[in-house]
Amino acid sequence: MTRRRRAMLVAASASYAFGVWWMTLRPTIYDAGVGSLLHTVLHVLHSWPPTAWITFDVVEFTANVALFVPLGILVPAWGGRWWHGILTGMLLSAAIETIQLLFLPTRVADVRDVVANTLGAALGVGIAAFLGRHAARSQDSHNPRHRKLIDKRAQ
């Protein structure tokens, strides 16, 4: 791993860790302004038939999935196997929910959050695998043997 790649992974991982902490382990989820905005948006969505199915539970589940997608990308980027990303997502989520249950009475610990977060980590692993395969194919065009074949066809 190059120094630059390591530095980028450290920065991305630290930023992600701070974001997860900020979103999950603060005493309150959001302030009154954010709550009011969310309520207004959900009311608008609920009043239009094609989006009436979008409820707070749907938004929360989707946000929990999205929150753990970066983890599923970061673990393989550090060299972990695909299942490490999924297992890390599940264990981290379970730890967060346990901390919320035991130490943050203003937060609600929920098994559905563990499911959503694990799903997000799995999606991230899938994205990392897809991007990894795409990058490997792109690198094939830089392979001297392959390049020679391409150049012959162009002549």
Side-chain angles (χ1 to χ4, degrees), residues 18 39 57-58 65 80 88 93 116 120 132 148:
F18 176 78
H39 177 72
D57 289 341
V58 171
V65 170
T88 301
S93 180
K148 188 175 179 181

Side-chain angles (χ1 to χ4, degrees), residues 102-121:
L102 298 176
F103 303 110
L104 297 170
T106 57
R107 301 295 294 261
V108 177
D110 191 348
V111 173
R112 289 177 297 180
D113 292 349
V114 176
V115 172
N117 295 341
T118 304
L119 177 60

